[in-house]
Coordinates of all heavy atoms in Angstrom, one line a residue:
M1 N 65.0 70.2 15.0 CA 63.9 69.9 14.2 C 64.1 70.6 12.9 O 64.5 71.8 12.9 CB 62.6 70.4 14.8 CG 61.4 70.0 14.0 SD 59.8 70.8 14.7 CE 59.9 70.3 16.4
K2 N 63.9 70.0 11.7 CA 64.0 70.6 10.5 C 62.7 71.4 10.2 O 61.6 71.0 10.7 CB 64.2 69.5 9.3 CG 65.5 68.9 9.4 CD 65.8 68.1 8.2 CE 67.3 67.5 8.3 NZ 67.5 66.6 7.2
T3 N 62.8 72.4 9.4 CA 61.6 73.2 9.0 C 61.2 72.9 7.6 O 62.0 72.9 6.7 CB 61.9 74.7 9.1 OG1 62.2 74.9 10.5 CG2 60.7 75.6 8.7
V4 N 59.9 72.6 7.4 CA 59.4 72.3 6.1 C 58.4 73.5 5.7 O 57.5 73.8 6.5 CB 58.6 71.0 6.0 CG1 57.9 70.8 4.7 CG2 59.5 69.8 6.4
T5 N 58.7 74.2 4.6 CA 57.8 75.3 4.2 C 57.1 74.9 3.0 O 57.6 74.4 2.0 CB 58.7 76.5 3.9 OG1 59.4 76.8 5.0 CG2 57.8 77.7 3.5
I6 N 55.7 74.9 3.1 CA 54.9 74.4 2.0 C 53.6 75.1 2.0 O 53.0 75.5 3.1 CB 54.7 72.8 2.2 CG1 54.0 72.2 1.0 CG2 54.0 72.5 3.5 CD1 54.0 70.7 1.0
E7 N 53.0 75.4 0.8 CA 51.7 76.0 0.7 C 50.7 74.9 0.9 O 50.7 73.8 0.4 CB 51.5 76.6 -0.6 CG 52.3 77.9 -0.8 CD 51.8 78.7 -2.0 OE1 50.9 78.3 -2.7 OE2 52.6 79.6 -2.4
M8 N 49.7 75.2 1.7 CA 48.6 74.2 2.0 C 47.2 75.1 2.1 O 47.3 76.2 2.5 CB 48.8 73.5 3.4 CG 49.8 72.6 3.4 SD 49.9 71.7 5.0 CE 50.6 72.9 6.0
P9 N 46.2 74.4 1.7 CA 44.8 75.0 2.0 C 44.7 75.3 3.4 O 45.1 74.4 4.3 CB 43.8 74.0 1.4 CG 44.6 73.1 0.6 CD 46.0 73.1 1.1
E10 N 44.1 76.3 3.9 CA 43.9 76.6 5.3 C 42.6 76.0 5.7 O 41.6 75.9 5.0 CB 43.8 78.2 5.4 CG 43.7 78.6 6.9 CD 43.8 80.1 7.0 OE1 44.9 80.7 6.9 OE2 42.8 80.8 7.1
V11 N 42.6 75.6 7.0 CA 41.3 75.1 7.6 C 40.7 76.4 8.2 O 41.2 76.9 9.2 CB 41.6 74.1 8.7 CG1 40.2 73.6 9.3 CG2 42.3 72.8 8.1
G12 N 39.6 76.9 7.6 CA 39.1 78.2 7.9 C 38.3 78.2 9.2 O 38.5 79.0 10.1
Q13 N 37.5 77.2 9.4 CA 36.7 77.1 10.7 C 36.5 75.6 11.0 O 36.3 74.9 10.0 CB 35.4 77.8 10.5 CG 35.4 79.2 11.0 CD 34.0 79.7 11.4 OE1 33.0 79.1 11.1 NE2 34.0 80.7 12.3
C14 N 36.3 75.3 12.2 CA 36.0 73.9 12.5 C 35.0 73.9 13.7 O 35.3 74.4 14.7 CB 37.3 73.1 12.8 SG 36.8 71.4 13.3
A15 N 33.9 73.2 13.5 CA 32.8 73.2 14.5 C 33.1 72.0 15.5 O 32.2 71.9 16.4 CB 31.5 73.0 13.8
A16 N 34.1 71.2 15.4 CA 34.3 70.1 16.3 C 35.0 70.6 17.6 O 36.2 70.4 17.8 CB 35.2 69.0 15.6
T17 N 34.2 71.3 18.4 CA 34.8 72.0 19.6 C 35.3 71.0 20.6 O 36.0 71.4 21.5 CB 33.7 72.9 20.2 OG1 32.6 72.2 20.4 CG2 33.4 74.0 19.2
E18 N 34.9 69.7 20.5 CA 35.4 68.7 21.5 C 36.7 68.1 21.1 O 37.4 67.4 21.8 CB 34.4 67.6 21.7 CG 33.0 68.0 22.0 CD 33.0 68.7 23.4 OE1 33.6 68.1 24.3 OE2 32.4 69.7 23.6
C19 N 37.2 68.5 19.9 CA 38.5 68.0 19.4 C 39.6 68.7 20.2 O 39.6 69.9 20.4 CB 38.7 68.2 17.9 SG 40.3 67.7 17.2
A20 N 40.7 67.9 20.4 CA 41.8 68.4 21.2 C 42.6 69.6 20.4 O 43.2 70.4 21.1 CB 42.8 67.3 21.5
Y21 N 42.5 69.6 19.1 CA 43.1 70.6 18.3 C 42.3 71.9 18.1 O 42.7 72.8 17.6 CB 43.5 70.0 16.9 CG 44.5 69.0 17.0 CD1 44.2 67.7 16.8 CD2 45.8 69.3 17.3 CE1 45.1 66.7 16.8 CE2 46.8 68.3 17.3 CZ 46.4 66.9 17.1 OH 47.4 66.0 17.1
N22 N 41.0 71.9 18.6 CA 40.1 73.0 18.4 C 40.1 73.9 19.6 O 40.0 73.5 20.8 CB 38.7 72.4 18.2 CG 37.7 73.4 17.7 OD1 37.5 74.5 18.2 ND2 37.1 73.1 16.5
R23 N 40.3 75.2 19.3 CA 40.0 76.2 20.3 C 39.3 77.3 19.6 O 39.7 77.8 18.5 CB 41.3 76.8 20.9 CG 41.9 75.9 21.9 CD 42.9 76.6 22.8 NE 43.4 77.9 22.3 CZ 44.5 78.1 21.7 NH1 45.3 77.1 21.4 NH2 44.8 79.3 21.2
E24 N 38.2 77.8 20.2 CA 37.4 78.9 19.6 C 37.0 78.6 18.2 O 37.1 79.5 17.3 CB 38.1 80.2 19.8 CG 38.3 80.6 21.3 CD 39.2 81.8 21.5 OE1 39.8 82.2 20.6 OE2 39.2 82.2 22.7
R25 N 36.7 77.3 17.9 CA 36.1 76.9 16.6 C 37.2 77.1 15.5 O 36.9 77.2 14.3 CB 34.9 77.7 16.2 CG 33.7 77.5 17.3 CD 32.5 78.2 16.9 NE 31.7 77.5 15.9 CZ 30.9 76.5 16.2 NH1 30.7 76.1 17.4 NH2 30.2 76.0 15.2
M26 N 38.4 77.1 15.9 CA 39.6 77.1 14.9 C 40.4 75.8 15.1 O 40.6 75.4 16.3 CB 40.4 78.3 15.0 CG 39.7 79.6 14.6 SD 39.1 79.8 13.0 CE 40.7 79.9 12.1
C27 N 40.9 75.3 14.0 CA 41.9 74.1 14.2 C 43.3 74.5 14.4 O 43.8 75.3 13.6 CB 41.7 73.2 13.0 SG 42.8 71.8 13.1
H28 N 44.0 74.0 15.4 CA 45.3 74.5 15.7 C 46.4 73.3 15.6 O 47.4 73.4 16.1 CB 45.4 75.1 17.0 CG 44.5 76.3 17.2 ND1 44.9 77.5 16.6 CD2 43.3 76.5 17.8 CE1 44.0 78.4 16.9 NE2 43.0 77.9 17.5
A29 N 46.0 72.3 14.8 CA 46.9 71.3 14.4 C 47.9 71.9 13.4 O 47.5 72.9 12.8 CB 46.2 70.1 13.8
R30 N 49.0 71.4 13.1 CA 49.9 71.9 12.1 C 49.2 71.6 10.7 O 49.2 72.5 9.9 CB 51.2 71.3 12.2 CG 52.1 71.7 13.2 CD 53.5 71.1 13.2 NE 54.2 71.5 14.4 CZ 55.4 71.1 14.6 NH1 56.0 70.3 13.8 NH2 56.0 71.4 15.8
A31 N 48.7 70.4 10.6 CA 48.1 70.0 9.3 C 47.2 68.9 9.6 O 47.5 68.1 10.5 CB 49.1 69.6 8.3
I32 N 46.1 68.8 8.9 CA 45.1 67.7 9.1 C 45.2 66.8 7.9 O 45.6 67.3 6.8 CB 43.7 68.2 9.4 CG1 43.1 68.9 8.1 CG2 43.6 69.1 10.6 CD1 41.6 69.2 8.3
T33 N 44.7 65.6 8.0 CA 44.5 64.7 6.9 C 43.0 64.4 6.8 O 42.3 64.3 7.9 CB 45.2 63.3 7.2 OG1 46.6 63.6 7.3 CG2 44.9 62.3 6.1
V34 N 42.5 64.5 5.6 CA 41.0 64.4 5.4 C 40.8 63.1 4.6 O 41.5 62.8 3.7 CB 40.5 65.6 4.6 CG1 39.0 65.4 4.2 CG2 40.7 66.8 5.4
G35 N 39.7 62.4 5.1 CA 39.1 61.3 4.2 C 39.6 59.9 4.5 O 40.7 59.7 5.1
D36 N 38.8 59.0 3.9 CA 39.1 57.6 4.0 C 39.0 57.0 2.6 O 38.8 55.8 2.5 CB 38.2 56.9 5.0 CG 36.8 56.8 4.5 OD1 36.4 57.5 3.5 OD2 36.0 56.1 5.1
G37 N 39.0 57.8 1.6 CA 38.8 57.2 0.2 C 37.5 57.8 -0.4 O 37.5 58.1 -1.6
T38 N 36.4 57.8 0.4 CA 35.1 58.3 -0.2 C 34.5 59.3 0.7 O 33.8 60.2 0.2 CB 34.1 57.1 -0.4 OG1 33.9 56.4 0.8 CG2 34.6 56.1 -1.5
Q39 N 34.7 59.2 2.0 CA 34.0 60.1 2.9 C 34.9 61.2 3.4 O 36.1 60.9 3.9 CB 33.5 59.4 4.2 CG 32.5 58.2 3.8 CD 31.2 58.8 3.2 OE1 30.7 59.8 3.6 NE2 30.8 58.1 2.1
P40 N 34.6 62.5 3.3 CA 35.5 63.5 3.7 C 35.6 63.9 5.1 O 35.6 65.1 5.5 CB 35.0 64.7 2.8 CG 33.5 64.5 2.7 CD 33.4 63.0 2.7
M41 N 35.6 62.9 6.0 CA 35.8 63.3 7.4 C 37.2 63.6 7.8 O 38.1 63.2 7.1 CB 35.2 62.1 8.3 CG 36.1 60.9 8.3 SD 35.7 59.9 7.0 CE 34.9 58.6 7.8
C42 N 37.4 64.4 8.8 CA 38.7 64.7 9.3 C 39.3 63.5 10.0 O 38.7 63.0 10.9 CB 38.6 65.9 10.3 SG 40.3 66.3 11.0
D43 N 40.5 63.1 9.5 CA 41.2 61.9 10.0 C 42.1 62.3 11.1 O 42.7 61.4 11.6 CB 41.9 61.3 8.8 CG 42.0 59.8 8.9 OD1 41.2 59.2 9.7 OD2 42.8 59.2 8.3
T44 N 42.2 63.6 11.5 CA 43.1 64.0 12.5 C 42.4 64.3 13.8 O 43.0 64.3 14.9 CB 43.8 65.3 12.1 OG1 44.5 65.0 10.8 CG2 44.8 65.8 13.0
A45 N 41.0 64.4 13.8 CA 40.3 64.7 15.0 C 40.6 63.8 16.1 O 40.7 62.6 15.9 CB 38.8 64.7 14.6
Y46 N 40.7 64.3 17.3 CA 41.0 63.6 18.5 C 40.2 64.1 19.6 O 40.5 65.2 20.2 CB 42.6 63.7 18.8 CG 43.0 63.1 20.1 CD1 42.6 61.8 20.4 CD2 43.9 63.8 21.0 CE1 43.1 61.3 21.6 CE2 44.3 63.2 22.1 CZ 43.9 62.0 22.5 OH 44.3 61.4 23.6
M47 N 39.1 63.4 19.9 CA 38.2 63.8 20.9 C 38.8 63.5 22.3 O 39.0 62.3 22.6 CB 36.8 63.2 20.8 CG 36.2 63.4 19.4 SD 36.1 65.2 19.0 CE 35.6 65.2 17.3
A48 N 39.1 64.5 23.0 CA 39.8 64.2 24.3 C 39.5 65.3 25.3 O 39.0 66.4 24.9 CB 41.4 64.2 24.1
G49 N 39.7 65.1 26.6 CA 39.4 66.1 27.6 C 40.5 67.1 27.7 O 40.8 67.5 28.9
M50 N 41.1 67.5 26.6 CA 42.2 68.6 26.7 C 42.1 69.3 25.4 O 41.4 68.9 24.4 CB 43.6 67.9 26.8 CG 43.8 66.9 25.6 SD 45.6 66.3 25.6 CE 46.4 67.9 25.0
H51 N 42.8 70.4 25.4 CA 42.9 71.2 24.1 C 44.3 71.7 24.0 O 45.0 72.1 25.0 CB 42.0 72.5 24.2 CG 40.5 72.1 24.1 ND1 39.9 71.7 22.9 CD2 39.6 71.8 25.0 CE1 38.7 71.4 23.0 NE2 38.4 71.5 24.4
T52 N 44.8 71.7 22.8 CA 46.2 72.2 22.5 C 46.4 73.7 22.9 O 45.4 74.4 22.9 CB 46.5 72.0 21.0 OG1 47.9 72.5 20.8 CG2 45.6 72.8 20.1
R53 N 47.6 74.0 23.2 CA 47.9 75.5 23.5 C 48.4 76.1 22.2 O 48.7 77.3 22.3 CB 49.0 75.6 24.6 CG 48.5 75.0 26.0 CD 49.6 75.2 27.0 NE 50.9 74.7 26.7 CZ 51.3 73.4 26.9 NH1 50.4 72.6 27.4 NH2 52.4 73.0 26.5
A54 N 48.6 75.4 21.1 CA 49.2 75.9 19.9 C 48.3 77.1 19.3 O 47.1 77.1 19.5 CB 49.3 74.8 18.9
S55 N 48.9 78.0 18.7 CA 48.2 79.1 18.1 C 48.2 79.1 16.6 O 47.4 79.9 16.0 CB 48.8 80.5 18.6 OG 50.2 80.5 18.2
M56 N 48.9 78.2 16.0 CA 49.0 78.1 14.5 C 47.6 77.7 14.0 O 46.8 77.1 14.7 CB 50.0 77.1 14.1 CG 49.6 75.7 14.4 SD 50.8 74.5 14.3 CE 52.0 74.9 15.6
I57 N 47.3 78.1 12.8 CA 46.1 77.7 12.1 C 46.5 76.5 11.2 O 47.4 76.6 10.4 CB 45.5 78.9 11.3 CG1 45.2 80.1 12.1 CG2 44.3 78.4 10.5 CD1 44.2 79.8 13.2
A58 N 45.7 75.5 11.2 CA 45.9 74.2 10.5 C 45.8 74.4 9.0 O 45.0 75.2 8.5 CB 45.0 73.1 10.9
G59 N 46.6 73.6 8.3 CA 46.4 73.5 6.9 C 45.9 72.1 6.6 O 45.8 71.2 7.4
V60 N 45.6 71.8 5.3 CA 45.2 70.4 4.9 C 46.5 69.8 4.3 O 47.0 70.2 3.2 CB 44.1 70.4 3.8 CG1 43.7 69.0 3.5 CG2 42.9 71.2 4.3
G61 N 47.0 68.9 5.1 CA 48.3 68.3 4.7 C 48.2 67.2 3.6 O 48.9 67.1 2.7
A62 N 47.0 66.5 3.7 CA 46.7 65.4 2.8 C 45.2 65.2 2.7 O 44.6 65.4 3.8 CB 47.5 64.1 3.1
C63 N 44.8 64.8 1.6 CA 43.3 64.4 1.5 C 43.2 63.1 0.6 O 43.7 63.1 -0.5 CB 42.5 65.5 0.9 SG 40.8 65.0 0.7
K64 N 42.5 62.1 1.2 CA 42.4 60.8 0.5 C 41.1 60.7 -0.2 O 40.7 59.6 -0.7 CB 42.5 59.7 1.5 CG 43.9 59.7 2.2 CD 44.0 58.6 3.4 CE 43.5 59.3 4.6 NZ 43.7 58.4 5.8
V65 N 40.4 61.9 -0.4 CA 39.1 61.8 -1.1 C 39.2 62.2 -2.6 O 39.0 63.3 -3.0 CB 38.0 62.8 -0.5 CG1 36.7 62.5 -1.0 CG2 38.0 62.5 1.1
A66 N 39.8 61.3 -3.3 CA 40.0 61.5 -4.8 C 38.8 61.9 -5.6 O 38.9 62.7 -6.5 CB 40.7 60.3 -5.4
P67 N 37.5 61.5 -5.2 CA 36.3 61.9 -6.0 C 36.0 63.3 -5.8 O 35.0 63.8 -6.4 CB 35.3 61.0 -5.4 CG 35.9 59.9 -4.8 CD 37.2 60.4 -4.3
C68 N 36.7 64.1 -4.9 CA 36.3 65.5 -4.7 C 36.9 66.3 -5.9 O 38.1 66.1 -6.3 CB 36.9 66.0 -3.4 SG 36.6 67.8 -3.2
R69 N 36.2 67.3 -6.3 CA 36.7 68.1 -7.5 C 37.9 69.0 -7.1 O 38.6 69.5 -8.0 CB 35.6 68.9 -8.2 CG 35.2 70.1 -7.5 CD 34.2 70.9 -8.3 NE 34.0 72.2 -7.8 CZ 34.8 73.3 -8.1 NH1 35.8 73.2 -8.8 NH2 34.5 74.5 -7.5
H70 N 38.1 69.2 -5.8 CA 39.3 70.0 -5.4 C 40.5 69.1 -5.2 O 41.6 69.7 -4.9 CB 38.9 70.7 -4.0 CG 37.8 71.6 -4.1 ND1 37.9 72.8 -4.8 CD2 36.5 71.6 -3.6 CE1 36.8 73.5 -4.7 NE2 35.9 72.8 -4.0
N71 N 40.4 67.9 -5.4 CA 41.5 66.9 -5.1 C 42.3 66.7 -6.4 O 41.8 66.3 -7.4 CB 40.9 65.6 -4.6 CG 42.0 64.7 -3.9 OD1 42.9 64.4 -4.6 ND2 41.9 64.6 -2.6
N72 N 43.6 66.8 -6.3 CA 44.5 66.4 -7.4 C 45.6 65.6 -6.8 O 46.4 66.1 -6.0 CB 45.0 67.7 -8.0 CG 45.9 67.4 -9.2 OD1 45.8 66.4 -9.9 ND2 46.8 68.3 -9.5
D73 N 45.7 64.4 -7.3 CA 46.8 63.5 -6.9 C 46.9 63.3 -5.3 O 47.9 63.4 -4.7 CB 48.1 64.0 -7.4 CG 49.2 62.9 -7.4 OD1 48.9 61.8 -7.4 OD2 50.4 63.3 -7.4
L74 N 45.6 63.2 -4.7 CA 45.5 63.0 -3.3 C 45.9 64.2 -2.4 O 46.3 64.1 -1.3 CB 46.2 61.7 -2.9 CG 45.6 60.5 -3.5 CD1 46.4 59.2 -3.1 CD2 44.1 60.3 -3.2
E75 N 45.9 65.5 -3.1 CA 46.2 66.6 -2.3 C 45.1 67.6 -2.6 O 44.5 67.7 -3.7 CB 47.5 67.3 -2.8 CG 48.7 66.4 -2.7 CD 49.2 66.2 -1.2 OE1 48.7 66.9 -0.3 OE2 50.1 65.4 -1.0
C76 N 44.7 68.4 -1.6 CA 43.6 69.4 -1.7 C 44.2 70.6 -2.4 O 45.2 71.1 -2.0 CB 43.0 69.7 -0.4 SG 41.7 70.9 -0.5
Q77 N 43.4 71.1 -3.4 CA 43.8 72.3 -4.1 C 42.9 73.5 -3.8 O 43.0 74.6 -4.5 CB 43.7 72.0 -5.7 CG 44.6 70.9 -6.1 CD 46.1 71.1 -5.9 OE1 46.6 72.2 -6.0 NE2 46.8 70.1 -5.4
A78 N 41.9 73.4 -2.9 CA 41.0 74.5 -2.5 C 41.9 75.6 -1.8 O 42.9 75.3 -1.2 CB 39.9 74.0 -1.6
D79 N 41.4 76.8 -1.8 CA 42.1 77.9 -1.1 C 41.9 77.7 0.4 O 42.9 77.9 1.2 CB 41.5 79.2 -1.4 CG 41.9 79.6 -2.8 OD1 42.9 79.2 -3.3 OD2 41.2 80.4 -3.5
L80 N 40.7 77.2 0.8 CA 40.4 77.1 2.2 C 39.2 76.1 2.4 O 38.5 75.9 1.5 CB 39.8 78.5 2.6 CG 39.3 78.8 4.0 CD1 39.7 80.2 4.4 CD2 37.8 78.7 4.0
I81 N 39.3 75.3 3.5 CA 38.1 74.4 3.7 C 37.4 74.7 5.0 O 38.0 75.4 5.8 CB 38.6 72.9 3.7 CG1 39.3 72.6 5.0 CG2 39.4 72.6 2.5 CD1 39.4 71.1 5.3
E82 N 36.2 74.4 5.1 CA 35.4 74.5 6.3 C 35.1 73.1 6.9 O 34.8 72.2 6.1 CB 34.1 75.3 6.1 CG 34.3 76.7 5.5 CD 34.8 77.7 6.4 OE1 34.7 77.5 7.6 OE2 35.3 78.7 5.9
V83 N 35.2 72.9 8.2 CA 34.9 71.6 8.8 C 33.6 71.8 9.7 O 33.6 72.8 10.6 CB 36.1 71.1 9.6 CG1 35.7 69.7 10.3 CG2 37.3 70.9 8.6
A84 N 32.7 71.0 9.6 CA 31.5 71.0 10.4 C 31.2 69.6 10.8 O 31.8 68.6 10.3 CB 30.3 71.6 9.6
L85 N 30.2 69.4 11.7 CA 29.9 68.1 12.2 C 28.8 67.5 11.2 O 27.8 68.2 11.0 CB 29.4 68.1 13.6 CG 30.4 68.5 14.6 CD1 29.8 68.6 16.0 CD2 31.6 67.5 14.7
S86 N 29.0 66.3 10.8 CA 28.0 65.6 9.9 C 27.8 64.3 10.6 O 28.7 63.4 10.6 CB 28.4 65.5 8.5 OG 27.5 64.8 7.7
G87 N 26.6 64.0 11.1 CA 26.4 62.7 11.7 C 27.3 62.6 12.9 O 27.7 61.5 13.3
G88 N 27.7 63.7 13.5 CA 28.6 63.7 14.7 C 30.0 63.6 14.4 O 30.9 63.7 15.3
D89 N 30.4 63.5 13.1 CA 31.8 63.4 12.7 C 32.3 64.7 12.1 O 31.6 65.3 11.2 CB 32.0 62.2 11.6 CG 31.7 60.9 12.2 OD1 32.1 60.7 13.3 OD2 31.1 60.0 11.5
P90 N 33.5 65.2 12.4 CA 34.0 66.4 11.8 C 34.2 66.1 10.3 O 34.9 65.0 10.0 CB 35.4 66.6 12.5 CG 35.2 65.8 13.8 CD 34.3 64.6 13.5
T91 N 33.7 66.9 9.4 CA 33.6 66.6 8.0 C 34.0 67.8 7.2 O 33.5 68.9 7.5 CB 32.2 66.0 7.7 OG1 32.0 64.9 8.5 CG2 32.1 65.7 6.2
C92 N 34.7 67.6 6.1 CA 35.0 68.7 5.2 C 33.8 69.1 4.4 O 33.3 68.3 3.7 CB 36.1 68.3 4.3 SG 36.5 69.6 3.0
M93 N 33.3 70.3 4.7 CA 32.1 70.8 4.0 C 32.4 71.4 2.7 O 31.5 71.9 1.9 CB 31.3 71.8 4.9 CG 31.0 71.2 6.3 SD 30.2 69.6 6.3 CE 28.6 70.1 5.8
T94 N 33.7 71.5 2.3 CA 34.1 72.1 1.1 C 34.1 71.0 0.0 O 34.2 71.3 -1.2 CB 35.5 72.8 1.2 OG1 35.4 73.7 2.3 CG2 35.8 73.6 0.0
F95 N 34.0 69.8 0.4 CA 33.9 68.6 -0.5 C 32.8 68.9 -1.6 O 31.7 69.3 -1.3 CB 33.6 67.4 0.2 CG 33.2 66.2 -0.7 CD1 34.2 65.5 -1.3 CD2 31.9 65.9 -0.9 CE1 33.8 64.4 -2.1 CE2 31.5 64.8 -1.7 CZ 32.5 64.1 -2.3
E96 N 33.2 68.7 -2.8 CA 32.3 68.7 -4.0 C 32.6 67.5 -4.8 O 33.7 67.3 -5.3 CB 32.5 69.9 -4.8 CG 31.9 71.2 -4.2 CD 32.1 72.4 -5.1 OE1 31.4 72.4 -6.2 OE2 32.8 73.3 -4.8
K97 N 31.6 66.7 -5.0 CA 31.7 65.5 -5.9 C 32.0 65.9 -7.3 O 31.4 66.8 -7.8 CB 30.5 64.6 -5.8 CG 30.7 63.2 -6.3 CD 29.5 62.3 -5.9 CE 29.5 61.0 -6.6 NZ 30.8 60.3 -6.5
R98 N 33.0 65.3 -7.9 CA 33.3 65.5 -9.3 C 32.1 65.3 -10.2 O 31.4 64.4 -10.0 CB 34.4 64.7 -9.9 CG 35.8 65.0 -9.3 CD 36.8 64.1 -10.0 NE 38.0 64.1 -9.2 CZ 39.0 65.0 -9.3 NH1 38.9 65.9 -10.1 NH2 40.1 64.9 -8.5
Ligands
SF4_101 S1 37.7 70.2 -0.4 FE1 37.9 68.1 -1.2 S2 40.1 67.8 -1.6 FE2 39.9 69.5 -0.2 S3 40.0 68.6 1.9 FE3 37.8 68.8 1.4 S4 37.4 66.8 0.5 FE4 39.6 66.9 0.4

């Protein structure tokens, strides 16, 4: 496997405790994708009856929410994001409309 080293915003906390990547309210995916163009929901969330054993802390690999002021060229430029449930969906709470 090749190693890719890249700076990414950290996923600070995630309240989606039913997600397979969540343990102790932290996201342990390598990187998440956020958004569908207008809504900043987590596109990586996977609600399943299991949880990863990984210990890494996730970064934001890509974000499709161009109207967010932290977004530049479909990449997040925030230092850190927080994810909480909004209407039952894991959602980036760091989103700020331009
Ligand atoms: S802060 Fe904005 S750009 Fe960053 S992940 Fe959240 S919605 Fe996307």
Side-chain angles (χ1 to χ4, degrees):
M1 182 187 309
K2 292 188 178 179
T3 300
V4 176
T5 304
I6 187 169
E7 286 189 10
M8 289 184 283
E10 188 174 281
V11 180
Q13 270 206 336
C14 178
T17 55
E18 303 298 311
C19 175
Y21 293 107
N22 193 304
R23 284 201 342 264
E24 297 171 350
R25 302 179 79 82
M26 298 296 290
C27 179
H28 298 286
R30 289 185 187 176
I32 65 169
T33 298
V34 174
D36 69 350
T38 56
Q39 301 297 316
M41 69 276 252
C42 177
D43 213 16
T44 303
Y46 174 45
M47 302 308 173
M50 59 168 287
H51 291 278
T52 181
R53 296 185 305 275
S55 58
M56 67 193 73
I57 301 298
V60 181
C63 177
K64 295 175 272 184
V65 191
C68 176
R69 78 173 189 87
H70 297 291
N71 195 297
N72 181 28
D73 197 22
L74 300 176
E75 303 288 352
C76 180
Q77 304 296 323
D79 289 334
L80 177 140
I81 73 161
E82 303 284 342
V83 178
L85 295 177
S86 175
D89 295 323
T91 300
C92 175
M93 304 309 285
T94 310
F95 168 80
E96 285 184 64
K97 196 166 170 48
R98 289 183 199 275

